[in-house]
Amino acid sequence: MSTDQKGTRILARTFFNQLRASGYTPHQVIGIATELLELVTTDLKEGDKEVAPQPAPAAEASPGWQPRV
């Protein structure tokens, strides 16, 4: 297991233990995990939209653009 995977696993276990120690039920923990997954999914989808290539604007459309002579 890589160091990054170990860190992620430790963080998840710590978060889980803190939730349970704070009185959250297993069903509530599942609800929190579901919400986290939905947030990550939304973030990934929005990130894909930002990465999509945009058509380059025509040079003439830029205000003040003058061709070199």
Side-chain angles (χ1 to χ4, degrees), residues 20-67:
R20 292 294 286 142
S22 296
Y24 286 87
T25 66
H27 290 287
Q28 289 173 315
V29 173
I30 290 171
I32 292 167
T34 301
E35 182 63 27
L36 284 169
L37 289 171
E38 288 177 16
L39 290 168
V40 170
T41 301
T42 300
D43 191 50
L44 288 171
K45 287 179 182 178
E46 289 175 359
D48 289 344
K49 291 178 186 174
E50 292 175 11
V51 175
Q54 300 294 323
E60 292 137 9
S62 299
W65 182 82
Q66 296 292 322

